[in-house]
Amino acid sequence: MGLFKKKGVIQSYDKENKKPVIKASICNGEQVAGFKDIHTGKIEEVMLIKKQADLDAFKKMYGIDGEIEKEY
């Protein structure tokens, strides 16, 4: 029925110090979306990406347009 639908709340991240990345494993192909600190190189993992819909949800959640860089 759609009476109690979740509203799409856009979350924020520190755009000056962090950039969105996808950390991909060479061995098993597992992908995790998150944010990389441009000063320290540390990656904060946010969510597991199993299919394209998960990546689209991540982009929508944080208001990200365009491609996200992959790191291996």
Short mmCIF file of all heavy atoms in Angstrom, two decimals:
data_model
loop_
_atom_site.label_atom_id
_atom_site.label_comp_id
_atom_site.label_asym_id
_atom_site.label_seq_id
_atom_site.Cartn_x
_atom_site.Cartn_y
_atom_site.Cartn_z
N MET A 1 0.81 -1.19 0.00
CA MET A 1 0.00 0.00 0.00
C MET A 1 0.85 1.26 0.00
O MET A 1 0.44 2.26 -0.55
CB MET A 1 -0.94 -0.01 1.19
CG MET A 1 -2.01 -1.08 1.02
SD MET A 1 -3.41 -1.06 2.11
CE MET A 1 -3.87 0.56 2.39
N GLY A 2 2.00 1.23 0.62
CA GLY A 2 2.88 2.38 0.57
C GLY A 2 2.56 3.48 1.57
O GLY A 2 2.89 4.63 1.33
N LEU A 3 1.89 3.15 2.66
CA LEU A 3 1.57 4.17 3.65
C LEU A 3 2.79 4.62 4.45
O LEU A 3 2.92 5.78 4.80
CB LEU A 3 0.49 3.67 4.61
CG LEU A 3 -0.88 3.42 4.01
CD1 LEU A 3 -1.80 2.81 5.05
CD2 LEU A 3 -1.47 4.70 3.48
N PHE A 4 3.67 3.68 4.74
CA PHE A 4 4.80 3.97 5.61
C PHE A 4 6.11 3.81 4.84
O PHE A 4 6.96 3.02 5.19
CB PHE A 4 4.79 3.05 6.83
CG PHE A 4 3.54 3.20 7.63
CD1 PHE A 4 2.54 2.25 7.57
CD2 PHE A 4 3.36 4.31 8.44
CE1 PHE A 4 1.38 2.39 8.30
CE2 PHE A 4 2.21 4.45 9.18
CZ PHE A 4 1.21 3.50 9.12
N LYS A 5 6.27 4.57 3.80
CA LYS A 5 7.45 4.51 2.96
C LYS A 5 8.60 5.27 3.61
O LYS A 5 8.40 6.32 4.21
CB LYS A 5 7.13 5.15 1.61
CG LYS A 5 7.79 4.49 0.45
CD LYS A 5 7.44 5.23 -0.80
CE LYS A 5 6.73 4.30 -1.74
NZ LYS A 5 6.54 4.89 -3.05
N LYS A 6 9.82 4.73 3.49
CA LYS A 6 11.00 5.43 3.99
C LYS A 6 11.28 6.63 3.10
O LYS A 6 11.23 6.53 1.89
CB LYS A 6 12.22 4.52 3.97
CG LYS A 6 12.49 3.80 5.22
CD LYS A 6 13.84 3.14 5.14
CE LYS A 6 14.22 2.54 6.45
NZ LYS A 6 15.51 1.89 6.41
N LYS A 7 11.56 7.74 3.72
CA LYS A 7 11.90 8.93 2.95
C LYS A 7 13.38 8.89 2.61
O LYS A 7 14.19 8.47 3.42
CB LYS A 7 11.58 10.19 3.75
CG LYS A 7 10.10 10.37 3.96
CD LYS A 7 9.81 11.64 4.70
CE LYS A 7 8.32 11.77 4.89
NZ LYS A 7 7.96 12.92 5.68
N GLY A 8 13.73 9.31 1.42
CA GLY A 8 15.12 9.34 1.00
C GLY A 8 15.86 10.50 1.63
O GLY A 8 15.86 11.60 1.10
N VAL A 9 16.49 10.27 2.76
CA VAL A 9 17.22 11.31 3.45
C VAL A 9 18.65 11.31 2.94
O VAL A 9 19.33 10.29 2.97
CB VAL A 9 17.22 11.08 4.98
CG1 VAL A 9 18.06 12.12 5.69
CG2 VAL A 9 15.80 11.06 5.50
N ILE A 10 19.11 12.45 2.46
CA ILE A 10 20.47 12.55 1.97
C ILE A 10 21.39 12.85 3.14
O ILE A 10 21.20 13.82 3.86
CB ILE A 10 20.60 13.65 0.89
CG1 ILE A 10 19.77 13.27 -0.33
CG2 ILE A 10 22.05 13.88 0.51
CD1 ILE A 10 19.80 14.30 -1.43
N GLN A 11 22.36 11.96 3.34
CA GLN A 11 23.32 12.15 4.42
C GLN A 11 24.49 12.95 3.88
O GLN A 11 24.67 13.07 2.68
CB GLN A 11 23.77 10.79 4.93
CG GLN A 11 22.60 9.98 5.45
CD GLN A 11 23.05 8.82 6.30
OE1 GLN A 11 24.17 8.76 6.74
NE2 GLN A 11 22.16 7.89 6.53
N SER A 12 25.28 13.48 4.77
CA SER A 12 26.41 14.30 4.33
C SER A 12 27.73 13.66 4.73
O SER A 12 27.78 12.82 5.63
CB SER A 12 26.30 15.70 4.91
OG SER A 12 26.40 15.64 6.30
N TYR A 13 28.78 14.09 4.05
CA TYR A 13 30.13 13.68 4.39
C TYR A 13 31.04 14.88 4.17
O TYR A 13 30.67 15.85 3.51
CB TYR A 13 30.57 12.47 3.58
CG TYR A 13 30.71 12.71 2.09
CD1 TYR A 13 31.95 13.00 1.53
CD2 TYR A 13 29.61 12.66 1.24
CE1 TYR A 13 32.09 13.23 0.18
CE2 TYR A 13 29.74 12.89 -0.11
CZ TYR A 13 30.99 13.17 -0.64
OH TYR A 13 31.12 13.41 -1.98
N ASP A 14 32.23 14.84 4.72
CA ASP A 14 33.19 15.95 4.63
C ASP A 14 33.80 15.98 3.22
O ASP A 14 34.75 15.26 2.94
CB ASP A 14 34.27 15.76 5.69
CG ASP A 14 35.22 16.93 5.76
OD1 ASP A 14 35.05 17.91 4.99
OD2 ASP A 14 36.15 16.88 6.59
N LYS A 15 33.23 16.79 2.35
CA LYS A 15 33.65 16.82 0.94
C LYS A 15 35.02 17.44 0.75
O LYS A 15 35.67 17.19 -0.25
CB LYS A 15 32.61 17.58 0.11
CG LYS A 15 31.29 16.85 0.05
CD LYS A 15 30.27 17.57 -0.78
CE LYS A 15 28.96 16.79 -0.74
NZ LYS A 15 27.91 17.42 -1.48
N GLU A 16 35.49 18.22 1.71
CA GLU A 16 36.81 18.84 1.59
C GLU A 16 37.93 17.86 1.94
O GLU A 16 39.01 17.94 1.38
CB GLU A 16 36.91 20.05 2.52
CG GLU A 16 36.03 21.20 2.09
CD GLU A 16 36.16 22.40 3.02
OE1 GLU A 16 37.10 22.42 3.86
OE2 GLU A 16 35.32 23.29 2.91
N ASN A 17 37.67 16.94 2.87
CA ASN A 17 38.72 16.04 3.35
C ASN A 17 38.52 14.58 2.94
O ASN A 17 39.42 13.77 3.16
CB ASN A 17 38.83 16.13 4.87
CG ASN A 17 39.25 17.51 5.32
OD1 ASN A 17 40.14 18.11 4.73
ND2 ASN A 17 38.60 18.03 6.34
N LYS A 18 37.37 14.24 2.40
CA LYS A 18 37.11 12.84 2.04
C LYS A 18 36.54 12.75 0.63
O LYS A 18 35.87 13.66 0.17
CB LYS A 18 36.13 12.20 3.03
CG LYS A 18 36.69 12.09 4.41
CD LYS A 18 35.77 11.35 5.34
CE LYS A 18 36.42 11.23 6.71
NZ LYS A 18 35.64 10.42 7.62
N LYS A 19 36.84 11.63 -0.03
CA LYS A 19 36.27 11.40 -1.35
C LYS A 19 35.66 10.00 -1.39
O LYS A 19 36.17 9.08 -0.75
CB LYS A 19 37.33 11.56 -2.44
CG LYS A 19 38.41 10.53 -2.44
CD LYS A 19 39.35 10.74 -3.60
CE LYS A 19 40.38 9.63 -3.65
NZ LYS A 19 41.25 9.73 -4.82
N PRO A 20 34.56 9.83 -2.13
CA PRO A 20 33.93 8.51 -2.21
C PRO A 20 34.78 7.56 -3.04
O PRO A 20 35.31 7.94 -4.08
CB PRO A 20 32.59 8.80 -2.88
CG PRO A 20 32.75 10.11 -3.55
CD PRO A 20 33.81 10.85 -2.83
N VAL A 21 34.93 6.33 -2.55
CA VAL A 21 35.68 5.29 -3.26
C VAL A 21 34.97 3.95 -3.11
O VAL A 21 34.16 3.76 -2.20
CB VAL A 21 37.13 5.15 -2.75
CG1 VAL A 21 37.96 6.37 -3.04
CG2 VAL A 21 37.18 4.80 -1.29
N ILE A 22 35.32 3.04 -4.00
CA ILE A 22 34.87 1.65 -3.88
C ILE A 22 36.12 0.81 -3.70
O ILE A 22 37.02 0.82 -4.54
CB ILE A 22 34.10 1.19 -5.13
CG1 ILE A 22 32.83 2.00 -5.27
CG2 ILE A 22 33.80 -0.31 -5.04
CD1 ILE A 22 32.05 1.71 -6.52
N LYS A 23 36.20 0.12 -2.58
CA LYS A 23 37.33 -0.76 -2.29
C LYS A 23 36.97 -2.14 -2.81
O LYS A 23 36.01 -2.75 -2.34
CB LYS A 23 37.59 -0.77 -0.78
CG LYS A 23 38.86 -1.45 -0.38
CD LYS A 23 39.14 -1.17 1.09
CE LYS A 23 39.21 -2.46 1.84
NZ LYS A 23 39.47 -2.29 3.26
N ALA A 24 37.73 -2.62 -3.80
CA ALA A 24 37.43 -3.90 -4.43
C ALA A 24 38.55 -4.89 -4.15
O ALA A 24 39.73 -4.56 -4.23
CB ALA A 24 37.26 -3.71 -5.93
N SER A 25 38.16 -6.12 -3.84
CA SER A 25 39.13 -7.18 -3.58
C SER A 25 39.50 -7.84 -4.90
O SER A 25 38.64 -8.17 -5.71
CB SER A 25 38.52 -8.21 -2.63
OG SER A 25 39.35 -9.35 -2.56
N ILE A 26 40.78 -8.05 -5.11
CA ILE A 26 41.24 -8.73 -6.32
C ILE A 26 40.90 -10.22 -6.25
O ILE A 26 40.54 -10.83 -7.24
CB ILE A 26 42.77 -8.54 -6.49
CG1 ILE A 26 43.08 -7.07 -6.72
CG2 ILE A 26 43.29 -9.37 -7.65
CD1 ILE A 26 44.56 -6.74 -6.75
N CYS A 27 40.99 -10.79 -5.06
CA CYS A 27 40.79 -12.24 -4.90
C CYS A 27 39.36 -12.70 -5.16
O CYS A 27 39.13 -13.59 -5.97
CB CYS A 27 41.19 -12.67 -3.49
SG CYS A 27 42.88 -12.31 -3.08
N ASN A 28 38.41 -12.12 -4.44
CA ASN A 28 37.04 -12.62 -4.53
C ASN A 28 36.05 -11.64 -5.16
O ASN A 28 34.88 -11.94 -5.28
CB ASN A 28 36.54 -13.05 -3.15
CG ASN A 28 36.59 -11.93 -2.13
OD1 ASN A 28 36.77 -10.79 -2.49
ND2 ASN A 28 36.43 -12.29 -0.87
N GLY A 29 36.50 -10.46 -5.53
CA GLY A 29 35.63 -9.50 -6.20
C GLY A 29 34.69 -8.74 -5.29
O GLY A 29 33.84 -8.00 -5.76
N GLU A 30 34.84 -8.91 -3.97
CA GLU A 30 33.97 -8.20 -3.03
C GLU A 30 34.23 -6.70 -3.13
O GLU A 30 35.36 -6.26 -3.23
CB GLU A 30 34.26 -8.68 -1.61
CG GLU A 30 33.40 -8.02 -0.56
CD GLU A 30 33.74 -8.52 0.83
OE1 GLU A 30 34.71 -8.01 1.42
OE2 GLU A 30 33.04 -9.43 1.30
N GLN A 31 33.15 -5.91 -3.09
CA GLN A 31 33.26 -4.47 -3.20
C GLN A 31 32.59 -3.81 -2.00
O GLN A 31 31.49 -4.20 -1.61
CB GLN A 31 32.61 -3.96 -4.48
CG GLN A 31 33.25 -4.47 -5.73
CD GLN A 31 32.61 -3.91 -6.98
OE1 GLN A 31 31.75 -3.05 -6.92
NE2 GLN A 31 33.04 -4.41 -8.12
N VAL A 32 33.26 -2.80 -1.46
CA VAL A 32 32.73 -2.05 -0.33
C VAL A 32 32.82 -0.56 -0.67
O VAL A 32 33.87 -0.07 -1.07
CB VAL A 32 33.53 -2.33 0.97
CG1 VAL A 32 33.00 -1.50 2.13
CG2 VAL A 32 33.49 -3.81 1.31
N ALA A 33 31.71 0.14 -0.52
CA ALA A 33 31.69 1.58 -0.78
C ALA A 33 31.98 2.32 0.52
O ALA A 33 31.56 1.89 1.59
CB ALA A 33 30.33 2.00 -1.32
N GLY A 34 32.71 3.41 0.39
CA GLY A 34 33.03 4.20 1.57
C GLY A 34 33.69 5.50 1.18
O GLY A 34 33.58 5.95 0.04
N PHE A 35 34.39 6.09 2.15
CA PHE A 35 35.03 7.38 1.94
C PHE A 35 36.49 7.29 2.35
O PHE A 35 36.81 6.75 3.39
CB PHE A 35 34.32 8.47 2.74
CG PHE A 35 32.89 8.64 2.32
CD1 PHE A 35 31.87 8.08 3.05
CD2 PHE A 35 32.58 9.34 1.17
CE1 PHE A 35 30.55 8.22 2.66
CE2 PHE A 35 31.27 9.49 0.77
CZ PHE A 35 30.25 8.92 1.51
N LYS A 36 37.37 7.85 1.51
CA LYS A 36 38.80 7.85 1.76
C LYS A 36 39.24 9.24 2.20
O LYS A 36 38.93 10.23 1.54
CB LYS A 36 39.55 7.44 0.49
CG LYS A 36 41.05 7.40 0.66
CD LYS A 36 41.73 6.93 -0.60
CE LYS A 36 43.22 6.82 -0.40
NZ LYS A 36 43.88 6.32 -1.61
N ASP A 37 39.95 9.29 3.31
CA ASP A 37 40.51 10.55 3.79
C ASP A 37 41.68 10.91 2.86
O ASP A 37 42.62 10.13 2.72
CB ASP A 37 41.00 10.39 5.23
CG ASP A 37 41.41 11.70 5.85
OD1 ASP A 37 42.16 12.46 5.20
OD2 ASP A 37 40.98 11.97 6.99
N ILE A 38 41.62 12.08 2.24
CA ILE A 38 42.64 12.44 1.26
C ILE A 38 43.99 12.77 1.90
O ILE A 38 45.00 12.78 1.22
CB ILE A 38 42.17 13.62 0.37
CG1 ILE A 38 41.85 14.86 1.20
CG2 ILE A 38 41.00 13.22 -0.49
CD1 ILE A 38 41.53 16.09 0.38
N HIS A 39 44.01 13.00 3.20
CA HIS A 39 45.25 13.33 3.89
C HIS A 39 45.95 12.07 4.42
O HIS A 39 47.17 11.95 4.29
CB HIS A 39 45.01 14.31 5.03
CG HIS A 39 44.37 15.59 4.57
ND1 HIS A 39 45.02 16.50 3.78
CD2 HIS A 39 43.14 16.09 4.78
CE1 HIS A 39 44.22 17.52 3.51
NE2 HIS A 39 43.06 17.29 4.11
N THR A 40 45.21 11.17 5.02
CA THR A 40 45.81 9.99 5.63
C THR A 40 45.72 8.74 4.75
O THR A 40 46.47 7.79 4.95
CB THR A 40 45.13 9.67 6.98
OG1 THR A 40 43.76 9.34 6.74
CG2 THR A 40 45.23 10.84 7.94
N GLY A 41 44.78 8.70 3.82
CA GLY A 41 44.60 7.52 2.97
C GLY A 41 43.73 6.45 3.62
O GLY A 41 43.49 5.40 3.03
N LYS A 42 43.24 6.70 4.82
CA LYS A 42 42.40 5.72 5.53
C LYS A 42 41.00 5.71 4.91
O LYS A 42 40.43 6.75 4.62
CB LYS A 42 42.32 6.08 7.00
CG LYS A 42 41.57 5.08 7.82
CD LYS A 42 41.55 5.44 9.29
CE LYS A 42 40.74 4.41 10.04
NZ LYS A 42 40.51 4.79 11.42
N ILE A 43 40.47 4.49 4.73
CA ILE A 43 39.14 4.33 4.14
C ILE A 43 38.13 3.97 5.22
O ILE A 43 38.34 3.04 6.00
CB ILE A 43 39.14 3.25 3.04
CG1 ILE A 43 40.05 3.69 1.89
CG2 ILE A 43 37.73 2.98 2.54
CD1 ILE A 43 40.20 2.67 0.79
N GLU A 44 37.05 4.73 5.27
CA GLU A 44 35.93 4.46 6.18
C GLU A 44 34.87 3.70 5.37
O GLU A 44 34.26 4.25 4.46
CB GLU A 44 35.36 5.78 6.68
CG GLU A 44 34.11 5.64 7.50
CD GLU A 44 33.44 6.98 7.79
OE1 GLU A 44 34.09 8.02 7.62
OE2 GLU A 44 32.26 6.96 8.15
N GLU A 45 34.68 2.42 5.68
CA GLU A 45 33.74 1.59 4.93
C GLU A 45 32.32 1.90 5.39
O GLU A 45 32.04 2.00 6.58
CB GLU A 45 34.07 0.12 5.13
CG GLU A 45 35.44 -0.25 4.60
CD GLU A 45 35.80 -1.69 4.87
OE1 GLU A 45 35.09 -2.37 5.65
OE2 GLU A 45 36.81 -2.14 4.31
N VAL A 46 31.40 2.03 4.41
CA VAL A 46 30.02 2.37 4.72
C VAL A 46 29.08 1.21 4.43
O VAL A 46 28.28 0.83 5.27
CB VAL A 46 29.57 3.63 3.96
CG1 VAL A 46 28.11 3.93 4.21
CG2 VAL A 46 30.43 4.81 4.35
N MET A 47 29.17 0.65 3.22
CA MET A 47 28.24 -0.44 2.88
C MET A 47 28.82 -1.38 1.85
O MET A 47 29.64 -1.00 1.02
CB MET A 47 26.89 0.11 2.42
CG MET A 47 26.88 0.83 1.10
SD MET A 47 25.29 1.53 0.65
CE MET A 47 24.34 0.11 0.25
N LEU A 48 28.38 -2.63 1.90
CA LEU A 48 28.78 -3.67 0.96
C LEU A 48 28.01 -3.50 -0.33
O LEU A 48 26.80 -3.26 -0.32
CB LEU A 48 28.49 -5.06 1.57
CG LEU A 48 28.85 -6.26 0.74
CD1 LEU A 48 30.36 -6.36 0.55
CD2 LEU A 48 28.35 -7.53 1.41
N ILE A 49 28.70 -3.63 -1.46
CA ILE A 49 28.08 -3.51 -2.77
C ILE A 49 28.03 -4.90 -3.40
O ILE A 49 29.06 -5.47 -3.75
CB ILE A 49 28.89 -2.54 -3.68
CG1 ILE A 49 29.06 -1.19 -3.02
CG2 ILE A 49 28.23 -2.43 -5.05
CD1 ILE A 49 27.79 -0.42 -2.80
N LYS A 50 26.82 -5.44 -3.53
CA LYS A 50 26.65 -6.76 -4.15
C LYS A 50 26.17 -6.65 -5.59
O LYS A 50 26.44 -7.51 -6.40
CB LYS A 50 25.66 -7.60 -3.35
CG LYS A 50 26.16 -7.99 -1.98
CD LYS A 50 25.17 -8.89 -1.28
CE LYS A 50 25.67 -9.29 0.09
NZ LYS A 50 24.72 -10.13 0.80
N LYS A 51 25.42 -5.61 -5.88
CA LYS A 51 24.87 -5.43 -7.23
C LYS A 51 24.75 -3.94 -7.52
O LYS A 51 24.98 -3.10 -6.65
CB LYS A 51 23.52 -6.13 -7.36
CG LYS A 51 22.52 -5.75 -6.29
CD LYS A 51 21.30 -6.62 -6.31
CE LYS A 51 20.45 -6.28 -5.10
NZ LYS A 51 19.44 -7.22 -4.83
N GLN A 52 24.41 -3.61 -8.74
CA GLN A 52 24.33 -2.21 -9.18
C GLN A 52 23.32 -1.41 -8.35
O GLN A 52 23.54 -0.23 -8.07
CB GLN A 52 23.97 -2.15 -10.66
CG GLN A 52 23.97 -0.76 -11.24
CD GLN A 52 25.33 -0.07 -11.21
OE1 GLN A 52 26.35 -0.71 -11.41
NE2 GLN A 52 25.35 1.21 -10.95
N ALA A 53 22.24 -2.05 -7.92
CA ALA A 53 21.23 -1.35 -7.12
C ALA A 53 21.81 -0.87 -5.79
O ALA A 53 21.43 0.21 -5.30
CB ALA A 53 20.03 -2.27 -6.88
N ASP A 54 22.74 -1.63 -5.21
CA ASP A 54 23.39 -1.21 -3.96
C ASP A 54 24.24 0.03 -4.19
O ASP A 54 24.24 0.96 -3.38
CB ASP A 54 24.27 -2.34 -3.41
CG ASP A 54 23.48 -3.56 -2.99
OD1 ASP A 54 22.28 -3.42 -2.68
OD2 ASP A 54 24.06 -4.66 -2.98
N LEU A 55 24.97 0.06 -5.31
CA LEU A 55 25.79 1.22 -5.63
C LEU A 55 24.92 2.44 -5.88
O LEU A 55 25.23 3.54 -5.42
CB LEU A 55 26.66 0.93 -6.86
CG LEU A 55 27.59 2.04 -7.30
CD1 LEU A 55 28.56 2.44 -6.19
CD2 LEU A 55 28.35 1.63 -8.54
N ASP A 56 23.80 2.24 -6.58
CA ASP A 56 22.87 3.35 -6.82
C ASP A 56 22.30 3.90 -5.51
O ASP A 56 22.15 5.11 -5.34
CB ASP A 56 21.74 2.91 -7.76
CG ASP A 56 22.24 2.58 -9.16
OD1 ASP A 56 23.33 3.06 -9.53
OD2 ASP A 56 21.55 1.83 -9.87
N ALA A 57 21.99 3.00 -4.58
CA ALA A 57 21.46 3.41 -3.28
C ALA A 57 22.51 4.21 -2.50
O ALA A 57 22.18 5.21 -1.86
CB ALA A 57 21.02 2.20 -2.48
N PHE A 58 23.77 3.79 -2.56
CA PHE A 58 24.86 4.51 -1.90
C PHE A 58 25.00 5.92 -2.46
O PHE A 58 25.11 6.89 -1.72
CB PHE A 58 26.17 3.74 -2.05
CG PHE A 58 27.37 4.45 -1.51
CD1 PHE A 58 27.59 4.55 -0.14
CD2 PHE A 58 28.30 5.03 -2.36
CE1 PHE A 58 28.70 5.22 0.36
CE2 PHE A 58 29.41 5.69 -1.87
CZ PHE A 58 29.61 5.78 -0.50
N LYS A 59 24.98 6.02 -3.80
CA LYS A 59 25.10 7.32 -4.45
C LYS A 59 23.94 8.23 -4.07
O LYS A 59 24.12 9.42 -3.80
CB LYS A 59 25.15 7.16 -5.97
CG LYS A 59 26.45 6.64 -6.48
CD LYS A 59 26.37 6.53 -8.00
CE LYS A 59 27.69 6.27 -8.64
NZ LYS A 59 27.59 6.24 -10.10
N LYS A 60 22.74 7.67 -4.05
CA LYS A 60 21.55 8.45 -3.72
C LYS A 60 21.57 8.89 -2.26
O LYS A 60 21.20 10.02 -1.92
CB LYS A 60 20.30 7.62 -4.01
CG LYS A 60 19.01 8.38 -3.83
CD LYS A 60 17.82 7.54 -4.20
CE LYS A 60 16.53 8.29 -4.00
NZ LYS A 60 15.35 7.46 -4.29
N MET A 61 22.05 8.01 -1.38
CA MET A 61 22.09 8.28 0.06
C MET A 61 22.99 9.48 0.37
O MET A 61 22.69 10.28 1.26
CB MET A 61 22.60 7.05 0.81
CG MET A 61 22.53 7.15 2.30
SD MET A 61 23.27 5.76 3.21
CE MET A 61 22.92 4.33 2.24
N TYR A 62 24.09 9.62 -0.38
CA TYR A 62 25.04 10.70 -0.11
C TYR A 62 25.03 11.79 -1.17
O TYR A 62 25.87 12.68 -1.14
CB TYR A 62 26.45 10.12 0.05
CG TYR A 62 26.60 9.37 1.35
CD1 TYR A 62 26.45 7.99 1.40
CD2 TYR A 62 26.86 10.04 2.54
CE1 TYR A 62 26.58 7.30 2.59
CE2 TYR A 62 26.99 9.37 3.74
CZ TYR A 62 26.84 8.00 3.75
OH TYR A 62 26.95 7.32 4.95
N GLY A 63 24.12 11.73 -2.13
CA GLY A 63 24.01 12.76 -3.15
C GLY A 63 25.22 12.83 -4.07
O GLY A 63 25.69 13.91 -4.41
N ILE A 64 25.74 11.67 -4.47
CA ILE A 64 26.94 11.60 -5.31
C ILE A 64 26.52 11.43 -6.77
O ILE A 64 25.73 10.55 -7.10
CB ILE A 64 27.83 10.42 -4.89
CG1 ILE A 64 28.27 10.59 -3.44
CG2 ILE A 64 29.02 10.28 -5.82
CD1 ILE A 64 28.93 9.37 -2.85
N ASP A 65 27.07 12.28 -7.63
CA ASP A 65 26.83 12.19 -9.07
C ASP A 65 28.09 11.70 -9.75
O ASP A 65 29.20 11.96 -9.29
CB ASP A 65 26.45 13.56 -9.65
CG ASP A 65 25.12 14.06 -9.09
OD1 ASP A 65 24.24 13.23 -8.81
OD2 ASP A 65 25.00 15.29 -8.91
N GLY A 66 27.93 11.01 -10.85
CA GLY A 66 29.09 10.56 -11.62
C GLY A 66 29.66 9.24 -11.12
O GLY A 66 29.07 8.55 -10.30
N GLU A 67 30.84 8.92 -11.64
CA GLU A 67 31.50 7.65 -11.30
C GLU A 67 32.26 7.77 -9.98
O GLU A 67 32.72 8.85 -9.61
CB GLU A 67 32.46 7.26 -12.42
CG GLU A 67 31.76 6.86 -13.71
CD GLU A 67 30.89 5.63 -13.56
OE1 GLU A 67 31.35 4.63 -12.96
OE2 GLU A 67 29.76 5.67 -14.01
N ILE A 68 32.42 6.62 -9.32
CA ILE A 68 33.19 6.55 -8.09
C ILE A 68 34.45 5.74 -8.39
O ILE A 68 34.38 4.67 -8.99
CB ILE A 68 32.38 5.89 -6.96
CG1 ILE A 68 31.14 6.72 -6.65
CG2 ILE A 68 33.23 5.72 -5.72
CD1 ILE A 68 30.23 6.10 -5.61
N GLU A 69 35.58 6.25 -7.96
CA GLU A 69 36.87 5.60 -8.21
C GLU A 69 36.96 4.27 -7.47
O GLU A 69 36.57 4.17 -6.31
CB GLU A 69 37.99 6.54 -7.74
CG GLU A 69 39.37 6.01 -7.92
CD GLU A 69 40.41 6.96 -7.37
OE1 GLU A 69 40.17 8.17 -7.34
OE2 GLU A 69 41.47 6.47 -6.95
N LYS A 70 37.52 3.24 -8.15
CA LYS A 70 37.75 1.94 -7.51
C LYS A 70 39.19 1.83 -7.08
O LYS A 70 40.09 2.26 -7.79
CB LYS A 70 37.45 0.80 -8.48
CG LYS A 70 35.99 0.46 -8.61
CD LYS A 70 35.82 -0.82 -9.39
CE LYS A 70 34.35 -1.12 -9.53
NZ LYS A 70 34.11 -2.35 -10.27
N GLU A 71 39.41 1.25 -5.91
CA GLU A 71 40.75 0.97 -5.41
C GLU A 71 40.87 -0.49 -5.12
O GLU A 71 39.96 -1.10 -4.58
CB GLU A 71 41.02 1.79 -4.16
CG GLU A 71 41.06 3.26 -4.41
CD GLU A 71 41.73 4.02 -3.28
OE1 GLU A 71 42.13 3.38 -2.28
OE2 GLU A 71 41.84 5.23 -3.40
N TYR A 72 42.01 -1.07 -5.49
CA TYR A 72 42.24 -2.50 -5.30
C TYR A 72 43.25 -2.75 -4.21
O TYR A 72 44.06 -1.95 -3.89
CB TYR A 72 42.71 -3.14 -6.60
CG TYR A 72 41.66 -3.07 -7.68
CD1 TYR A 72 41.65 -2.06 -8.61
CD2 TYR A 72 40.66 -4.02 -7.74
CE1 TYR A 72 40.68 -2.00 -9.60
CE2 TYR A 72 39.69 -3.98 -8.73
CZ TYR A 72 39.70 -2.95 -9.65
OH TYR A 72 38.74 -2.91 -10.62
#
